[in-house]
Amino acid sequence: MVLDVSRFDLNAIGADFIENPHPVLHALRAQSPVHRNSDGSVYLTRYADVVKVYQSRDMLSDKTVEFGKKFGQCPLYKHHTTSLIFNDPPYHTVVRKLISGAFTPRKLAEFEPLIDGIVDRLLDRVEEMGQLDLINDFAKVLPTEIISFMLGIPEEYRARLRDYSIAILGALDPVVPKERLEAGNRAVEEFSEILDDLITHRRANPDGAAQGEVLEALIFGEHEGRRLTQEELIQNCIFLLNAGHETTTSMVGNSLGLLLDHPGEHRRLLADPTLIGSAVEEFLRVESPLQIGNRLAGEDIELEDCVLPKGTYIHTSIAGANRDPAQFPEPDRFDITRKPNRQIAFITGIHVCLGATLARVEGKIAIGKFVERFPKLAQTGPRTRLPLARFRGYTAFPISVR
Ligand code: HEM
């Protein structure tokens, strides 16, 4: 039966779409690839259109007006409007250049053995537990440990960071109750105070940084004579922690879920662990942790078969693009050796994920080691999905490893 998507509205999606959006995304791509939502915005599901939007210099990420209406003047407003992700050039270019200094291949190479050590320690704990929740006991801890280490955040603060991250990102939902706004504002304030102290301390003691720490590169890095201000440093460090948190957690949970759902591919990876590199690309394609993005058209934009006028609010389906049969033959087939695989889970263009290399290294080490060490991995109860359309992942995933 052909699914009729003529009345589909991204602002009114239900649990079925969250559980499995692909039947609807395939139907949209075939029947209405530039789909108009009830509020006038459009939803794009074709790979070529999504890539075109991301690669156009005329598509805007600035959310000053939108967040001004939503938050008013408050810590959340200051945070989100100072983060590079919600800004356009020239501010975006400067901040991105300065932050990139902390994510150079040299820094990441230095960091790889440290990730190895962090993963080994976490896997020892998994082995001791035997039965555990994959998300809470492993996947969620990993990114916080790694980015906290990179920013030099002491151990005693790390458990709190996860709650801050959820409170700050939770305020980005379309409708936010008053208590959630208050929690988000409190999180920005408390987190800012911690970072303010750490940055001031590192500024005064630049040589005290541990191996692998990048905070000093962020503080002292220069682009055309400009350095990040204390406020820009604080807000962008908060953003770095948040950006890598939910997404990396979901990458790990989704990947092991895919292997359990496809025992043949699981066996292939067990038999040949060198496949982990292409397997990570396929995990990210089939179950992209961030599924929907958005941009405001700053100029008219020509897509495959229409022109969207300046001022159009565009939703990009990263999940839809990553299953477009025009780009990926048999797009619903999960194949850990798929080649070529130009998946866009990290998007493309000027806002391409700054943590993509780090995330890939984390994925290869964490998922690769998990699979090798626990070949008897089994699910012991139902998985619970994150109840969101934008982020795809699990909130609970009970497993046993022996
Ligand atoms: C599997 C894990 C990850 C996925 C799927 C992911 C995905 C994305 C996506 C789709 C964007 C673009 C958002 C937009 O402009 O609309 C983005 C931006 C960004 N990500 Fe990631 N990310 C991941 C991990 C990380 C990590 C580990 C870090 C760093 C610690 C990070 C740092 C950033 C930053 C700084 C940006 C903003 C770049 C800019 O605006 O120029 N991400 N990410």
Side-chain angles (χ1 to χ4, degrees):
M1 195 183 71
V2 180
L3 205 59
D4 175 12
V5 286
S6 54
R7 294 156 75 100
F8 175 83
D9 185 2
L10 188 59
N11 303 303
I13 47 160
D16 284 0
F17 184 85
I18 289 175
E19 183 52 38
N20 178 10
H22 293 290
V24 171
L25 295 177
H26 284 314
L28 280 170
R29 202 183 305 102
Q31 298 163 35
S32 181
V34 182
H35 186 77
R36 190 71 60 183
N37 295 302
S38 60
D39 61 359
S41 64
V42 300
Y43 188 34
L44 307 181
T45 43
R46 275 195 300 226
Y47 185 91
D49 288 342
V50 171
V51 165
K52 181 103 192 245
V53 164
Y54 280 133
Q55 290 185 343
S56 162
R57 289 283 177 149
D58 298 325
M59 300 299 110
L60 308 176
S61 292
D62 185 290
K63 299 260 192 304
T64 320
V65 175
E66 191 180 322
F67 290 160
K69 282 191 215 142
K70 182 173 179 150
F71 300 127
Q73 288 299 326
C74 65
L76 274 170
Y77 175 80
K78 185 166 64 182
H79 168 66
H80 287 305
T81 54
T82 314
S83 307
L84 78 162
I85 196 165
F86 295 129
N87 274 284
D88 300 317
Y91 176 80
H92 171 264
T93 319
V94 174
V95 176
R96 186 164 170 115
K97 283 246 160 66
L98 290 170
I99 296 185
S100 304
F103 287 85
T104 57
R106 194 180 59 80
K107 285 268 175 210
L108 290 171
E110 193 181 314
F111 207 65
E112 236 178 278
L114 298 165
I115 297 183
D116 243 23
I118 292 172
V119 169
D120 284 342
R121 268 202 313 282
L122 290 175
L123 291 180
D124 287 345
R125 212 173 59 123
V126 167
E127 185 162 358
E128 261 168 48
M129 292 173 90
Q131 302 243 359
L132 61 141
D133 185 85
L134 172 64
I135 305 303
N136 282 311
D137 299 323
F138 180 69
K140 261 190 189 171
V141 194
L142 176 79
T144 321
E145 283 295 303
I146 289 172
I147 195 74
S148 299
F149 193 94
M150 291 179 89
L151 294 179
I153 294 177
E155 194 106 29
E156 71 250 36
Y157 295 123
R158 294 186 190 171
R160 259 187 277 166
L161 299 189
R162 259 170 268 141
D163 298 333
Y164 289 155
S165 169
I166 288 161
I168 295 167
L169 292 179
L172 291 176
D173 266 10
V175 183
V176 191
K178 193 163 155 270
E179 314 78 69
R180 213 185 305 160
L181 274 182
E182 283 167 5
N185 279 317
R186 252 195 328 274
V188 174
E189 274 176 336
E190 289 181 24
F191 205 166
S192 300
E193 271 172 37
I194 295 174
L195 283 166
D196 195 19
D197 285 349
L198 287 174
I199 293 166
T200 305
H201 177 77
R202 182 57 69 238
R203 216 187 268 289
N205 306 279
D207 298 331
Q211 193 201 8
E213 191 189 301
V214 297
L215 190 59
E216 120 276 356
L218 295 174
I219 297 173
F220 298 106
E222 270 189 22
H223 173 60
E224 293 171 356
R226 158 110 151 73
R227 286 183 178 178
L228 290 171
T229 65
Q230 185 83 352
E231 195 58 55
E232 288 165 354
L233 272 166
I234 293 172
Q235 300 309 332
N236 282 291
C237 284
I238 294 181
F239 176 68
L240 280 178
L241 278 150
N242 293 345
H245 181 246
E246 200 66 43
T247 45
T248 309
T249 302
S250 296
M251 171 177 65
V252 173
N254 294 349
S255 305
L256 291 172
L258 277 165
L259 291 175
L260 284 174
D261 293 340
H262 299 83
E265 293 303 279
H266 190 185
R267 278 194 298 275
R268 261 177 114 189
L269 186 55
L270 277 169
D272 183 359
T274 65
L275 296 179
I276 188 66
S278 60
V280 166
E281 299 306 305
E282 185 69 344
F283 299 143
L284 288 164
R285 183 187 75 83
V286 174
E287 291 278 37
S288 311
L290 193 59
Q291 302 243 309
I292 304 172
N294 45 58
R295 293 291 186 267
L296 178 70
E299 294 295 337
D300 293 358
I301 178 159
E302 195 178 335
L303 300 180
E304 285 239 303
D305 49 21
C306 71
V307 175
L308 291 177
K310 175 177 175 173
T312 307
Y313 197 78
I314 302 171
H315 301 274
T316 47
S317 175
I318 296 170
N322 275 338
R323 300 256 194 134
D324 183 343
Q327 177 68 25
F328 304 98
E330 294 186 74
D332 294 327
R333 193 162 63 84
F334 170 59
D335 171 3
I336 61 165
T337 58
R338 183 180 284 273
K339 275 206 181 74
N341 187 351
R342 293 194 194 88
Q343 58 81 16
I344 53 160
F346 299 115
I347 72 157
T348 165
I350 63 165
H351 287 274
V352 63
C353 176
L354 201 52
T357 308
L358 173 63
R360 284 183 161 112
V361 172
E362 289 181 74
K364 275 190 245 176
I365 297 178
I367 302 162
K369 285 195 166 203
F370 199 107
V371 169
E372 269 192 88
R373 192 154 159 186
F374 305 119
K376 293 193 180 143
L377 170 68
Q379 190 174 329
T380 53
R383 303 174 203 174
T384 313
R385 240 191 211 296
L386 208 58
L388 301 169
R390 195 175 294 284
F391 292 95
R392 186 161 183 82
Y394 298 105
T395 53
F397 193 153
I399 54 162
S400 70
V401 295
R402 336 185 182 111

